[in-house]
């Protein structure tokens, strides 16, 4: 694996993330969880980080390998005029349940495969925060991230 163009917080060899996995009796329950988590991630970006995001669904070519559907949050970076993936939430269907024999016994005693979801938010959110709220003159963090604002004034020749 060759690593090209590292960018702090956005594309690094190591990063921290919050990840979750759930197993459900039905595909409808799993998909409801996928959408609920996507809404929660949108709240983090919009209400805490003051970063507007757009909810969407990845194409078949862009979705998580092994999943049925990948939903996404995309943010807009005005500095370069590009979008950036902010978070994802995946409906895995029964794909991994088939591979790893993850099943349960339902109310009528029959064995059924679980339907699964998987989702994650990473330190990329910090990079997006800095790109949206920063420029060449500095970074102004939203009040819910930094309730106490500090201004550093350089003194030339001091």
């Amino acid at each position: 694996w060759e690593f090209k163009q590292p960018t702090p917080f956005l594309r690094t060899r190591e990063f921290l993330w919050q990840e979750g996995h759930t197993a459900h009796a039905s595909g409808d329950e799993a998909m409801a969880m996928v959408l609920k988590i996507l809404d929660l991630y949108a709240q983090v970006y919009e209400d805490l980080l003051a970063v507007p995001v757009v909810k969407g669904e990845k194409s078949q070519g862009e979705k998580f390998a092994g999943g049925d559907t990948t939903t996404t949050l995309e943010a807009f970076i005005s500095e370069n005029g590009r979008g950036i993936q902010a978070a994802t939430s995946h409906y895995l269907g029964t794909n991994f349940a088939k591979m790893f024999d993850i099943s349960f016994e339902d109310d009528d005693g029959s064995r059924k495969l679980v339907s699964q979801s998987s989702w994650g938010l990473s330190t990329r959110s910090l990079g997006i925060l800095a790109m949206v709220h920063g420029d060449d003159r500095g970074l102004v963090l939203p009040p819910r991230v930094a309730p106490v604002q500090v201004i550093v004034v350089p003194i030339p020749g001091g």
Side-chain angles (χ1 to χ4, degrees):
W1 178 68
E2 189 174 331
F3 184 63
K4 295 180 181 176
Q5 295 182 314
T7 306
F9 297 113
L10 300 180
R11 188 169 306 282
T12 61
R13 285 188 191 271
E14 296 180 12
F15 60 94
L16 301 173
W17 63 359
Q18 171 276 327
E19 179 179 9
H21 300 266
T22 59
H24 303 268
S26 74
D28 288 344
E29 289 176 7
M31 192 62 198
M33 178 61 77
V34 166
L35 298 175
K36 179 180 180 180
I37 295 299
L38 196 69
D39 286 342
L40 290 173
Y41 288 159
Q43 284 181 334
V44 168
Y45 272 99
E46 293 173 344
D47 298 343
L48 177 66
L49 303 180
V51 173
V53 291
V54 175
K55 296 176 192 173
E57 187 174 313
K58 294 288 191 181
S59 70
Q60 287 299 306
E62 295 175 311
K63 72 177 178 140
F64 175 70
D68 286 353
T69 303
T70 293
T71 61
T72 182
L73 292 180
E74 304 287 325
F76 178 69
I77 307 302
S78 61
E79 185 75 20
N80 62 15
R82 298 177 66 184
I84 187 168
Q85 180 179 291
T88 54
S89 187
H90 315 282
Y91 171 63
L92 305 177
T94 58
N95 297 331
F96 288 92
K98 288 174 191 169
M99 283 191 286
F100 297 103
D101 192 26
I102 306 169
S103 60
F104 69 100
E105 186 177 306
D106 71 3
D107 292 338
D108 65 8
S110 62
R111 186 176 160 267
K112 294 198 173 162
L113 294 173
V114 299
S115 293
Q116 295 177 273
S117 75
S118 172
W119 19 271
L121 178 76
S122 76
T123 50
R124 173 178 275 221
S125 59
L126 299 177
I128 293 170
L129 173 73
M131 290 172 71
V132 168
H133 297 294
D135 59 23
D136 290 342
R137 297 184 325 150
L139 175 64
V140 178
L141 294 172
R144 294 187 88 189
V145 173
V148 176
Q149 299 289 312
V150 175
I151 298 172
V152 177
V153 178
I155 300 172

